[in-house]
Amino acid sequence: MAKPVDLSVDFCGFKLRNPFMLSSSPVSNSAEMVERAFEAGWAGVAYKTIVSDRLPIIHPSPRMNGYFGGGKKLLGVQNVEQTSDRGLKANLLDIMYLKKHWPDRLVMSSIMGFSNQEWADLSKASEDAGADMLEVNVSCPHMTVEGSGAKVGQVQDLVQKFTETCRNSCRIPIVAKMTPNITDITVPALYAKKGGADAIAAINSVAGLSGVGVDDWVPNPNVFGKGAASGFTGPAIKPIGLRYVAELAKCRELGLPLSGIGGIETWVDALEYLLIGSTTIQVTTGIIHYGQQIVESMIEGLSDYLASKKIARVGDLIGKALPNLHETHDFDLSRQGVARYDLDRCIGCGQCYTVCKDAGGWALDWDAQKRRPVLDEKKCLSCMVCSFACPVDGLITFKEMPPTYRRADTVTLGKGLEKQLKAKI
Amino acid sequence: MKKSNPLTGMGKGYTLAEAMAEADRCLLCHDAPCSAGCPGGTDPGTFIRKLKFRNVTGAIRTIKRNNILGGACGALCPTAQLCERECSATGLVGGPIQIGKIQRALVEHAWAVGFRPLEKAERRREKIAVVGSGPAGLSCAAELAQTGFSVTVFEAKAKAGGVLRYGVPAYRFDPKFLDRELKDLVALGVVFKCSAPIRGPGAAEKLLKKGFAAVFLAPGLWEPIRLQDSAPSLPGLFTATEFLCALRDGKQAQIGKSIRGKRVAVIGGGSVAMDSAESAWRLGARDVYLVYRRSYTQMPAEEDERQDLLRSGIHFLLLNQPVGYRTGARGRLQAIQLVRTELGELDASGRRRPVEVKGSQWELPVDAVIEAIGAKAVPGGEGIAPSVKRTRDGLIPVDSKTGATSAKMIFAGGDIVRGPALIIEAVQDGKTAAHAIRRRLQK
Ligand SMILES: Cc1cc2nc3c(=O)[nH]c(=O)nc-3n(C[C@H](O)[C@H](O)[C@H](O)COP(=O)(O)OP(=O)(O)OC[C@H]3O[C@@H](n4cnc5c(N)ncnc54)[C@H](O)[C@@H]3O)c2cc1C
Ligand SMILES: Cc1cc2nc3c(=O)[nH]c(=O)nc-3n(C[C@H](O)[C@H](O)[C@H](O)COP(=O)(O)O)c2cc1C
Ligand code: SF4
C-alpha cells in the first residue's frame, strides 16, 4: 500500500485537513450551504460577510453578469452583490451551529463595519459565536454604502485603524482581506499588520466592466437601465491573484501567512497558489460555475500529485516557486531559443503562417502545395504566438538553440537607409 | 512502407488532449444520467468531471476501480445503446459526449505514464478458483485480488481473454491492448493457468475439496448454433465461432485461402455476423452477402456497424431464410438455398415474425458460408459441476444479487448465465459474485 499523503496545513495555529476553503460570498451564505460543502470535503469557510443590522442592505437586481469566452465557457463573473442577505442574528446562529457540528473545520467570520464601533461589535459577536478567526473585509469594490469596502482598503490609515479596533475587541486571529484595486498591495497589507492582523487574504474581486449592451447601451449587469464597474472574479483574474499573492509572499517586512484567492477551479490552480506562497486557498466563482463538488478533484488531484512527486506533506510545497520568481531584469538573455514544429502532426490549417506574418517575426514561409509552414529559425523571435493559434496540442513547442545561434539582426538606422527609402518611393 | 495487415490495426483512440477537449463539453449534469445508463456500474459522471478538473489520475482510478477491463469496454462497448444514449448533451451541437472514447484514452494514458490506480490489499488466507478468463472471469478475479484473496484463473485455451482474444476481430481489438490490460491483473497478483481446462466429472467440486474456498464458473458459450441440426461438414462451410477464432489463433493464412477472391455468404444479423462479414471482406472476398431473415431495422447489430458494412460494399440480403446448401463434385459448396420471407405477426421478441413466402425458394451461388446465428453452452459442460443446476439450454441459473448457483460456494456469471450478452454485463457479474464471495467468507 502506498503511504497516504498529508494534505493538512497549519493556518494561524488552526490545523486544516486540507488547504481548500470556501471564500466569503454566496457560496458561504448559510449553515446549510457550508455544511454540504464540509461534507463534500472543504476544510474551512470564510463565511459570507456579515454586517450590523443598522443599515439595511438592499441588493441591486440582477446581481451578476457572466463573462464568457467561446460558447458557454465562463471566464469570469461580474457581481454587484453586497454583504449578507440575511440578518446578523441568523448569521451568528449559523456560525454557532457550524462550530458545534464541525469543530475540526475552520470557520472564519467575515465582517464589515460601517463605523468604528461596528467593527468592534462584529468582532466581539463573531468571537462569541465561536468563530475560529475573523476575516476583515476592507476590499469589496462595489458597496452601495458610501465609504465602505474597498474604499477603506485603499486608505492605509483606515485599514490600520479598523484592524486595530478588531484586534482590541477579540482574541481570535485576524485575517485582513485585500483589494487588488490598488497599485502596490503590500502597502495596505503592512498597515493591516501594524493594526494587528495575523494573516492576509488576497484577492477580493477586481473592479471591472464585463460588457455593454449594444442595443440599449447599458453596461452590464443592467440594473434597470444603469450599469457600474463592480467586482469581477473567476478564471480571468487568476493571473492577477497569483501576482498579488506572490508580492505579499516576497515581502520580508510582512512575513504573515497568506490565504490565496482568485480564479481557482482545479487542484492545479490551487497548487500554483500554494507554490507561490499561500497556505490556504479560497474559492467562489469555481463553485458558482460548477458547484461544491469540484473539491473532490482538488483533494484527489493534489494527493496524487504529492504521491507522484514523493512529497509527504502539502506544507512542504508552500512557497516553493518563490526562489524562482525574479524581476525581468534578472533574466539570462544570453540563452535563446526558437519555435519547434512537429510537422508530422500538422493538419495544414496555416494559422501559424497568418499570425507569424501579422503579429510575429515573419519567420514562416508557406508551402502552398503541401500546405505546410516552413520555418526560418534565424528569424524566429520565439514569441510563440503561432503555438497559441495552432489547433494541434503540442505541435509547436519551444526549444533552446546552441550558444552559437544568432537571430537575424534587427535593422538599425544607418546612413544607407535614406537612399533605400527614396528608391522605394 | 510496410503493408499493413487488413485484419489488424485497431483504430487509434483519443489522445489525452482530445479526451480533455471532449470532457470539456460535458455538462456536469446533476444526478448524471450516463452513470445510470451502464449495466456495469461505470460512473462517467464522476470520471469525466474529474478529467474536466484536471484530475487525470483520479479519473483513471474511478474507471479501473469499477472495471478492470475499462480499456476494453471503452473500445468495445455499444455505448450508443448504454451511457451515451442517456447523455444530456445529445440534443446539443456535437451530440452526446464520446464517453467510451474518453474512457479508453484515460486507460491508455495510465499505461503510457505507468500510473497504477489499483493497489493490492493485505493478503488473506483464502484461495479462489476462477474457471474461464473471459470478461466475467477476469472481472471476478480482479475484484477478489483487490480485497486480498489469492486468485487462480484456469483457462482452457492457450491464452487468456475469452471472446476478447478468440472472438472479437483484431481490427476492433488489438491483442496487444488486451495483453496490456491483462498486465493490470497480474500486477494485482492474479495467477493465470492457461491451457488448463477444468474437465472431467465433478472437476469444479474437486477444486473446492482441494482447498479453494469458492469457485466462479465463467466458461462462456462456445458451441455454435447450426442452421441444420445434423450440421454437415463441408469444405467452405464455417461457423462464426471457428472462423473468428481461427483468425485470432494464427490460422489466418489457411482460412484466407477459402475466402480470398471468393463469393461468401454470412448468415445472421447480430454483431457476430457483422464481425464475420467484415473479416471476410477484409480477407479479400470478392462478394460478401449478409443473409438475414428479417428486415434491416430488426437486425440486433448496432446501427453504426451496419452502416459501416453497407458503406464498405457488403451486400445485405434481407428477408431471406437460408434452408440448406447445395454441393457439387467432391462435396464442394456451390450454393446456399434461400426462401424469401415476409413479415407477419409479432413474435415473442416483440418483432414481426418472418414468414416464408411459398414457392419462393432460390439459390445464391457461393463458395463459402459463415453461419453466425448464435452460440450456446458446450454440450456436456454440466459434467464438470454436477451439483450445479442448469436450464434445458445448458445455461446456469443464479441468484442475480449474488451470482450464487444451486451449489454451495460455486458461483457463475457472464454468457453462461445470461446467454449471449455484453462484455460490461459479464464484468458486472464478475464483481457481483466477487462481492458475494467476500461477504460469505467474512462471515
Ligand atoms: C465475435 C464476438 C464479438 C463480440 N463483440 C462484442 C463487443 O464489441 N462488445 C460487447 O460488449 N460484447 C461483445 N461480444 C459479447 C461478449 O464478448 C461476451 O458477452 C463476453 O465475452 C462474455 O464473457 P464471458 O466471460 O462470460 O465468456 P467468454 O468471453 O466466452 O470467456 C469464457 C472463457 O472460458 C474458457 N473456458 C470455457 N470452458 C472452460 C473450462 N472448462 N475450463 C477452463 N476454461 C474454460 C473459454 O476458453 C473462454 O476463454 C462479442 C461476442 C462475440 C462472440
Ligand atoms: C457574488 C459574489 C459575492 C461576493 N461577496 C463577497 C463578500 O461578501 N465578502 C468578501 O470578502 N468577498 C466577496 N466576494 C469575493 C470572493 O470572496 C473572492 O474574493 C473573489 O470572488 C475571488 O475569488 P474567485 O475568483 O474564486 O471567485 C464575492 C464574490 C462574488 C462573485
Ligand atoms: S440561481 Fe437562478 S433561481 Fe436560483 S436564486 Fe439565482 S436566479 Fe434565482
Side-chain angles (χ1 to χ4, degrees):
Chain A
M1 283 280 252
K3 255 211 260 144
V5 294
D6 180 7
L7 287 190
S8 71
V9 290
D10 184 295
F11 188 65
C12 299
F14 192 98
K15 190 174 173 195
L16 290 93
R17 58 172 53 201
N18 63 50
F20 311 131
M21 296 180 58
L22 305 177
S23 76
S24 176
S25 74
V27 307
S28 55
N29 212 19
S30 69
E32 282 97 328
M33 269 173 150
V34 175
E35 180 156 53
R36 285 184 54 238
F38 285 168
E39 279 160 8
W42 296 91
V45 59
Y47 195 86
K48 173 70 187 176
T49 303
I50 58 173
V51 290
S52 81
D53 286 334
R54 277 192 308 145
L55 280 179
I57 296 295
I58 301 171
H59 277 94
S61 180
R63 269 184 219 203
M64 295 188 217
N65 185 58
Y67 178 61
F68 297 92
K72 283 288 277 177
K73 179 92 186 153
L74 192 77
L75 301 182
V77 162
Q78 185 192 344
N79 82 90
V80 287
E81 173 161 308
Q82 308 290 301
T83 49
S84 177
D85 280 301
R86 307 168 64 224
L88 179 61
K89 193 169 148 200
N91 282 322
L92 292 172
L93 279 170
D94 276 13
I95 290 173
M96 284 177 92
Y97 171 90
L98 287 170
K99 263 337 286 183
K100 230 183 153 122
H101 288 85
W102 299 86
D104 68 329
R105 308 299 169 102
L106 172 57
V107 176
M108 208 147 80
S109 173
S110 167
I111 62 168
M112 184 189 290
F114 299 131
S115 70
N116 202 34
Q117 188 55 44
E118 283 190 11
W119 286 104
D121 294 346
L122 290 165
S123 308
K124 181 79 175 53
S126 297
E127 183 177 43
D128 290 348
D132 301 298
M133 282 175 212
L134 216 55
E135 192 174 74
V136 173
N137 178 352
V138 287
S139 43
C140 175
H142 48 250
M143 291 303 296
T144 53
V145 178
E146 262 180 58
S148 65
K151 293 282 169 8
V152 172
Q154 289 155 346
V155 182
Q156 296 92 332
D157 302 349
L158 290 180
V159 173
Q160 183 181 344
K161 179 176 162 190
F162 294 145
T163 313
E164 231 162 51
T165 301
C166 296
R167 179 67 300 153
N168 295 332
S169 314
C170 68
R171 279 177 312 253
I172 53 181
I174 293 176
V175 184
K177 183 166 175 182
M178 297 290 114
T179 174
N181 303 306
I182 193 164
T183 314
D184 182 353
I185 200 163
T186 61
V187 175
L190 286 167
Y191 275 89
K193 184 183 179 185
K194 265 202 230 167
D198 303 282
I200 303 292
I203 57 177
N204 206 317
S205 48
V206 179
L209 268 183
S210 55
V212 180
V214 292
D215 292 322
D216 55 16
W217 306 347
V218 180
N220 293 324
N222 178 336
V223 180
F224 298 104
K226 292 178 180 164
S230 66
F232 183 67
T233 60
I237 70 161
K238 192 179 108 187
I240 302 171
L242 275 177
R243 167 206 159 197
Y244 276 134
V245 170
E247 287 177 357
L248 290 165
K250 277 250 165 186
C251 178
R252 287 239 172 75
E253 208 186 329
L254 187 66
L256 294 182
L258 304 172
S259 189
I261 318 170
I264 297 167
E265 293 182 341
T266 68
W267 68 271
V268 183
D269 302 325
L271 172 61
E272 289 169 323
Y273 270 94
L274 297 174
L275 290 171
I276 217 75
S278 315
T279 300
T280 61
I281 63 94
Q282 303 183 24
V283 180
T284 283
T285 310
I287 301 174
I288 287 183
H289 197 190
Y290 301 111
Q292 301 167 337
Q293 205 53 47
I294 57 173
V295 77
E296 180 191 22
S297 277
M298 295 172 93
I299 293 170
E300 195 174 24
L302 190 60
S303 304
D304 283 350
Y305 169 83
L306 288 172
S308 74
K309 296 270 179 209
K310 302 199 173 19
I311 300 170
R313 299 174 48 241
V314 75
D316 296 342
L317 285 171
I318 294 167
K320 274 290 181 284
L322 289 171
N324 302 323
L325 184 70
H326 298 272
E327 299 288 324
T328 47
H329 58 239
D330 295 327
F331 289 153
D332 179 354
L333 301 179
S334 69
R335 293 175 72 173
Q336 293 287 332
V338 298
R340 182 214 319 259
Y341 282 70
D342 173 11
L343 285 182
D344 287 346
R345 298 165 58 213
C346 176
I347 59 170
C349 71
Q351 290 187 76
C352 51
Y353 175 69
T354 302
V355 298
C356 186
K357 239 181 151 57
D358 296 357
W362 283 58
L364 291 180
D365 245 332
W366 181 242
D367 181 338
Q369 210 113 63
K370 292 194 194 130
R371 289 199 65 84
R372 290 290 179 274
V374 184
L375 176 69
D376 181 352
E377 286 187 341
K378 279 223 150 358
K379 288 190 186 162
C380 177
L381 305 175
S382 66
C383 63
M384 303 312 290
V385 295
C386 51
S387 72
F388 313 150
C390 179
V392 182
D393 190 61
L395 189 156
I396 306 174
T397 48
F398 174 77
K399 74 166 174 196
E400 182 169 6
M401 295 299 276
T404 51
Y405 168 78
R406 289 286 169 274
R407 191 164 279 120
D409 283 337
T410 316
V411 185
T412 45
L413 272 179
K415 279 225 166 122
L417 270 184
E418 200 175 342
K419 238 202 297 182
Q420 286 179 31
L421 179 67
K422 277 189 185 136
K424 218 171 176 175
I425 299 166
Chain B
M1 232 163 92
K2 202 180 81 198
K3 204 159 174 262
S4 63
N5 182 336
L7 280 169
T8 56
M10 176 185 180
K12 258 207 167 142
Y14 280 165
T15 62
L16 184 67
E18 285 163 341
M20 281 192 136
E22 183 64 7
D24 221 30
R25 294 205 304 120
C26 171
L27 307 174
L28 304 176
C29 298
H30 171 66
D31 196 9
C34 50
S35 298
C38 178
T42 309
D43 186 3
T46 296
F47 75 72
I48 297 179
R49 167 184 291 273
K50 288 184 174 182
L51 179 59
K52 185 157 169 160
F53 290 101
R54 301 181 66 171
N55 177 10
V56 180
T57 46
I60 295 164
R61 186 177 287 119
T62 299
I63 294 169
K64 274 283 191 171
R65 274 221 179 126
N66 175 66
N67 178 359
I68 190 70
L69 297 177
C73 282
L76 294 174
C77 274
T79 45
Q81 298 307 317
L82 304 170
C83 50
E84 287 168 20
R85 189 172 70 178
E86 306 300 326
C87 177
S88 305
T90 300
L92 301 179
V93 176
I97 309 299
Q98 300 292 293
I99 298 171
K101 286 189 170 162
I102 294 176
Q103 177 167 319
R104 174 178 164 191
L106 283 167
V107 172
E108 288 191 289
H109 176 72
W111 297 337
V113 300
F115 173 67
R116 291 231 175 118
L118 303 181
E119 282 168 11
K120 281 198 219 179
E122 242 172 78
R123 284 280 135 226
R124 303 173 52 119
R125 282 175 298 110
E126 302 96 330
K127 296 189 302 170
I128 315 286
V130 169
V131 180
S133 66
L138 294 175
S139 163
C140 186
E143 196 69 24
L144 289 168
Q146 281 179 77
T147 34
F149 293 100
S150 305
V151 187
T152 308
V153 178
F154 297 93
E155 169 55 51
K157 294 200 189 293
K159 284 185 167 181
V163 171
L164 298 182
R165 187 172 306 271
Y166 295 105
V168 183
Y171 59 80
R172 284 212 292 128
F173 195 61
D174 200 308
K176 284 196 209 96
F177 192 103
L178 174 60
D179 288 338
R180 194 58 205 73
E181 200 130 58
L182 288 174
K183 263 201 208 165
D184 292 344
L185 278 120
V186 174
L188 288 173
V190 174
V191 175
F192 286 94
K193 295 224 151 75
C194 289
S195 304
I198 295 302
R199 64 173 166 216
E205 287 87 348
K206 277 185 196 149
L207 288 171
L208 290 175
K209 286 208 196 88
K210 269 197 262 167
F212 287 100
V215 174
F216 181 65
L217 296 175
L221 304 172
W222 287 84
E223 181 70 16
I225 296 175
R226 303 300 308 263
L227 184 65
Q228 293 159 329
D229 280 342
S230 53
S233 171
L234 303 172
L237 176 59
F238 305 95
T239 64
T241 312
E242 64 181 325
F243 175 70
L244 294 172
C245 185
L247 294 182
R248 299 291 303 257
D249 207 8
K251 304 197 185 91
Q252 216 190 90
Q254 201 181 321
I255 219 155
K257 278 196 214 126
S258 337
I259 302 291
R260 195 163 303 111
K262 303 282 168 66
R263 296 162 301 180
V264 181
V266 175
I267 305 172
S271 292
V272 179
M274 304 297 133
D275 281 345
S276 305
E278 183 163 356
S279 295
W281 184 246
R282 285 171 179 251
L283 274 170
R286 193 178 76 183
D287 283 289
V288 177
Y289 297 91
L290 191 87
V291 181
Y292 183 54
R293 61 192 175 132
R294 303 177 191 248
S295 74
Y296 181 84
T297 51
Q298 291 179 320
M299 293 176 124
E302 294 294 313
E303 168 68 9
D304 54 349
E305 285 177 317
R306 285 179 277 161
Q307 285 297 323
D308 283 351
L309 256 60
L310 276 174
R311 257 197 300 274
S312 64
I314 288 165
H315 319 303
F316 278 34
L317 213 50
L318 304 169
L319 295 169
N320 270 286
Q321 169 77 56
V323 288
Y325 305 111
R326 183 162 62 72
T327 52
R330 278 174 287 135
R332 186 163 290 287
L333 190 61
Q334 285 191 327
I336 176 169
Q337 292 159 335
L338 302 163
V339 180
R340 298 235 349 262
T341 61
E342 55 191 11
L343 295 181
E345 298 306 310
L346 297 187
D347 68 7
S349 73
R351 296 174 299 174
R352 287 174 66 196
R353 184 194 316 274
V355 183
E356 292 185 4
V357 177
K358 285 226 169 67
S360 67
Q361 186 154 346
W362 65 292
E363 280 188 358
L364 175 72
V366 291
D367 309 298
V369 169
I370 303 164
E371 293 179 4
I373 50 180
K376 56 185 181 184
V378 175
E382 56 282 355
I384 63 162
S387 60
V388 172
K389 272 206 198 102
R390 298 253 180 172
T391 67
R392 243 191 300 144
D393 315 335
L395 299 183
I396 303 180
V398 298
D399 170 0
S400 64
K401 285 201 203 68
T402 59
T405 67
S406 58
K408 210 171 156 205
M409 291 321 275
I410 300 184
F411 298 75
D415 284 2
I416 193 67
V417 168
R418 296 175 184 256
L422 295 175
I423 298 166
I424 188 66
E425 292 172 318
V427 166
Q428 182 56 40
D429 289 352
K431 287 191 294 171
T432 303
H435 294 157
I437 290 170
R438 196 190 55 217
R439 280 196 306 272
R440 296 268 168 98
L441 294 178
Q442 262 163 1
K443 268 193 206 147

